[in-house]
Amino acid sequence: MGRVVAVKNVDEELYRKFKAMVALKGLTIGEALNQALSLWIRASENIDVVEYLETVKEAEANRRVYRELEDYLIRNHAGKYVAVACGKLLGIFDSREEALRAVRKVKSRHAIVTRVEPKKTRVIELGMSLFEVVE
Amino acid sequence: MRIPYSTVEDPPAPVLVLKVYSPYGDKCLTLSFKVDTGFAGGVLVPYSIYMKLELMLAEEPYPLLGRFATNETIKLYRALTKVELGDKVFQVYVYSSPFIRRKLVGREVLNKLKVLLNGPQQTLEVLNNLPLE
């Protein structure tokens, strides 16, 4: 049996989602936590996880703003470009370059720069090169 | 344009050397991408490179799903940026996720090129430099 660990300051909402997903996948909390820990360690070898998580937080705020405005933007500004950063719409522009310039003026970790149009959901095949034969 | 296969892999693998710019054009990296016709996107990079090129500062609003051959999926982020191949410049989506470690060039780029994979000579030859975009 593995070690028993008590952890303080776990985000309640995050833990509730985690538990629900663990149950859906038919795992125990311990098994899923071991997987999560090894994923975190693997990701940390590659990127600055703290910086990444801050970026994710900003990205979520920006996406929320875009989602809320999307219908309005498509109805009224289709074909234009928008910039969203720091959790707010920076503006609606005639060109992508103008939208990029607007992002440059604010200090942010994440920004959305996109053409106003209905967005298609798409699944991207990742190809076999991400696998390798280990002998 | 002829590019020798990468001999880091065994057997050697065809690669494309691309100069990838940040969306703001003030940073760039020249990188070697493994040619992968099974990858449906444009260019796939490790997240450390995605961050270095500040691609998260010009991201599309919704992440896409990337599906592995094993049917597992991950969220893929993407941003449009400028890429140079030889003397040609074009716009391409760069994709990434914190769990990606390889650099691949996929069909969104390859379908715009005539490429000869010369296996016996271990070179990739770009047969035309079409005006891409």
Side-chain angles (χ1 to χ4, degrees), chain A residues 53-70 73 82-91 103 106-114, chain B residues 24 47 55-63 77:
Chain A
L53 291 176
E54 288 299 318
T55 306
V56 167
K57 214 184 283 178
E58 283 196 30
E60 280 169 4
N62 292 338
R63 287 189 196 116
R64 196 163 42 242
V65 168
Y66 184 84
R67 221 176 5 252
E68 283 167 9
L69 294 171
E70 190 170 26
L73 290 169
V82 292
V84 179
C86 307
K88 62 184 181 195
L89 178 69
L90 299 182
V103 173
V106 297
K107 195 172 155 47
S108 65
R109 285 190 171 88
H110 179 272
I112 291 169
V113 174
T114 192
Chain B
Y24 300 90
Y47 205 78
L55 288 154
M56 66 286 176
L57 287 175
E59 215 164 71
E60 282 295 311
Y62 302 119
Y77 305 103

Side-chain angles (χ1 to χ4, degrees), chain A residues 128-135, chain B residues 4-16 32-36 101-105 122:
Chain A
M128 284 302 286
S129 294
L130 296 172
F131 292 88
E132 60 187 301
V133 178
V134 180
E135 290 173 24
Chain B
Y5 278 17
S6 162
T7 50
V8 173
E9 301 209 29
D10 184 21
V15 291
L16 264 183
S32 176
F33 293 89
K34 189 170 170 179
V35 171
D36 186 351
R101 288 167 177 234
R102 302 273 176 92
K103 299 187 291 294
L104 304 182
V105 57
Q122 298 197 352

Side-chain angles (χ1 to χ4, degrees), chain A residues 24-91:
Chain A
L24 272 175
K25 287 179 184 280
L27 298 170
T28 65
I29 295 282
E31 285 167 340
L33 200 56
N34 285 336
Q35 289 179 2
L37 291 174
S38 61
L39 271 176
W40 191 91
I41 290 164
R42 267 170 48 201
S44 299
E45 287 162 5
N46 205 20
I47 55 165
D48 179 341
V49 171
V50 175
E51 177 67 21
Y52 169 70
L53 291 176
E54 288 299 318
T55 306
V56 167
K57 214 184 283 178
E58 283 196 30
E60 280 169 4
N62 292 338
R63 287 189 196 116
R64 196 163 42 242
V65 168
Y66 184 84
R67 221 176 5 252
E68 283 167 9
L69 294 171
E70 190 170 26
D71 287 345
Y72 162 80
L73 290 169
I74 291 171
R75 265 199 317 273
N76 299 288
H77 301 284
K80 301 266 185 189
Y81 292 82
V82 292
V84 179
C86 307
K88 62 184 181 195
L89 178 69
L90 299 182

Side-chain angles (χ1 to χ4, degrees), chain B residues 29 31 45-55 103:
Chain B
L29 292 171
L31 303 164
V45 295
Y47 205 78
S48 54
I49 290 175
Y50 192 83
M51 286 178 101
K52 209 174 279 178
L53 288 172
E54 297 185 330
L55 288 154
K103 299 187 291 294

Side-chain angles (χ1 to χ4, degrees), chain A residues 2 7-8 14 22 42 68 70 74 82 95 98 103 105 118 120 128:
Chain A
V7 184
K8 279 185 183 172
L14 202 58
V22 167
R42 267 170 48 201
E68 283 167 9
E70 190 170 26
I74 291 171
V82 292
S95 72
E98 287 174 74
V103 173
K105 287 179 190 161
K120 291 179 200 152
M128 284 302 286

Side-chain angles (χ1 to χ4, degrees), chain B residues 51-107:
Chain B
M51 286 178 101
K52 209 174 279 178
L53 288 172
E54 297 185 330
L55 288 154
M56 66 286 176
L57 287 175
E59 215 164 71
E60 282 295 311
Y62 302 119
L64 300 176
L65 277 186
R67 183 163 53 209
F68 293 102
T70 52
N71 221 26
E72 296 292 317
T73 55
I74 54 168
K75 270 186 191 172
L76 272 188
Y77 305 103
R78 66 173 182 160
L80 193 64
T81 197
K82 193 172 79 172
V83 166
E84 270 180 29
L85 170 67
D87 58 353
K88 294 294 172 194
V89 179
F90 50 102
Q91 294 281 321
V92 66
Y93 278 111
V94 177
Y95 297 75
S96 191
S97 148
F99 302 110
I100 295 294
R101 288 167 177 234
R102 302 273 176 92
K103 299 187 291 294
L104 304 182
V105 57
R107 299 198 300 270

